[in-house]
Amino acid sequence: NFFAAAHRSGGPEDLKYLVDKCHGLGMQCFMDVVHAHASDNAIDGLNEFDGTGGHLFHEDPGLGWHGLWGTRMFDFGKYETLRFLLSNIRYWSEEFKFDGFRFDGVTAMLYTHRGIHWDFIGGHSEFYGDHADNDACVYLMLANQMLRDDPKFGPAAVTIAEDVSGQTGVCRPVWHGGLGFDLRLSMGPPDHWARLAHEPDFNWSPSRVVSLVTGRNPEPAVSYLESHDQCLVGDKTFAFTLMDAAMYGCMSKTREEGVHP
């Protein structure tokens, strides 16, 4: 449900209390919003909500389904879809006082190929053309501008785009022709760190590590060590990869011998 808090957060008042407590401690609260796609659940989900295969989604099977996730893709060219998703953002912003939003799966929104089997190397032809979803770009611009125009929270609202394509202008203001995000979530570094963690130490050259840390798009970005993607494919955490079995047998203060080689 796009308008219901997860059970682990308690009821609506419990979640509001948590956000208020965080604000009292000087912390900001960001919400992860999934506005690229929705579950294919036709029993109690949005799929076939009106008895058809369209409604809020693309009716064309090639556009209405994600080829890897098996989920329904929103049709941002429909006013009903725009109203539904924009009201969703406004609800969480006004009722729960969230400070910002991380937009999940932005790459799947920006392109009709959804980024599947597409190697983004930085050419402008990759970002624009027949494979660009112009309606999705307009929706993201509307969403960011709506938050900025809010008299109470607009100036302080923060939005983050989870985008692996590196499309230019994602973090440019809407008035400048950009999508209006404050930050891009850099998804490449976690994959590189994961590969590096499985290599022998002598491959960890300073130049390679420096390149990994500093080589990024000039737009504002959030760079991080590991993400949920590594966990979803059955990989270990970065710390567990480095320590492995020593995590269980060599971390006691009473143990005299050191870590096993």
Side-chain angles (χ1 to χ4, degrees):
N1 191 313
F2 282 72
F3 291 86
H7 179 70
R8 60 179 176 273
S9 300
E13 297 304 317
D14 296 320
L15 181 56
K16 292 179 181 179
Y17 177 80
L18 173 63
V19 174
D20 287 342
K21 277 294 185 180
C22 289
H23 288 165
L25 296 172
M27 300 170 62
Q28 288 185 308
C29 294
F30 299 94
M31 185 176 189
D32 190 15
V33 290
V34 184
H35 283 185
H37 59 124
S39 169
D40 65 343
N41 188 345
I43 298 178
D44 52 12
L46 292 175
N47 188 26
E48 299 182 7
F49 186 76
D50 65 343
T52 70
H55 191 39
L56 301 178
F57 310 103
H58 284 285
E59 297 183 13
D60 181 351
L63 296 174
W65 295 83
H66 194 285
L68 294 180
W69 302 336
T71 50
R72 297 305 313 272
M73 304 301 297
F74 285 110
D75 184 349
F76 301 100
K78 296 179 177 179
Y79 284 112
E80 293 81 2
T81 304
L82 295 179
R83 292 190 181 105
F84 175 78
L85 296 177
L86 289 174
S87 65
N88 184 239
I89 297 175
R90 198 172 188 92
Y91 170 73
W92 293 109
S93 177
E94 293 184 352
E95 293 295 325
F96 291 82
K97 306 298 187 293
F98 277 100
D99 301 286
F101 301 91
R102 170 196 174 272
F103 283 72
D104 179 81
V106 169
T107 305
M109 301 172 68
L110 295 178
Y111 311 102
T112 55
H113 54 61
R114 312 307 180 194
I116 300 175
H117 308 309
W118 194 279
D119 295 325
F120 293 99
I121 59 176
H124 283 280
S125 60
E126 297 176 336
F127 306 144
Y128 312 107
D130 294 338
H131 54 270
D133 193 328
N134 296 325
D135 291 329
C137 291
V138 171
Y139 162 69
L140 293 172
M141 296 169 75
L142 286 172
N144 280 298
Q145 192 62 45
M146 181 187 70
L147 289 170
R148 302 293 182 272
D149 289 342
D150 190 302
K152 293 183 179 179
F153 312 105
V158 177
T159 55
I160 306 170
E162 186 200 29
D163 170 45
V164 72
S165 72
Q167 183 188 118
T168 55
V170 169
C171 294
R172 298 299 299 170
V174 173
W175 64 264
H176 198 260
L179 299 185
F181 286 97
D182 295 287
L183 298 163
R184 182 201 308 276
L185 197 64
S186 297
M187 301 174 64
D191 291 332
H192 288 292
W193 283 114
R195 286 196 295 269
L196 191 63
H198 288 86
E199 297 182 16
D201 293 351
F202 55 76
N203 281 0
W204 289 49
S205 64
S207 60
R208 187 178 179 188
V209 174
V210 169
S211 176
L212 180 58
V213 173
T214 61
R216 62 184 65 176
N217 190 292
E219 289 188 331
V222 178
S223 186
Y224 52 107
L225 181 65
E226 58 189 348
S227 73
H228 60 279
D229 289 335
Q230 281 75 44
C231 300
L232 289 176
V233 297
D235 202 355
K236 302 176 182 178
T237 64
F238 190 79
F240 199 96
T241 300
L242 297 180
M243 293 182 282
D244 206 43
M247 180 180 290
Y248 298 111
C250 301
M251 297 186 71
S252 173
K253 293 181 178 180
T254 60
R255 192 182 182 98
E256 295 183 359
E257 62 267 28
V259 177
H260 296 299

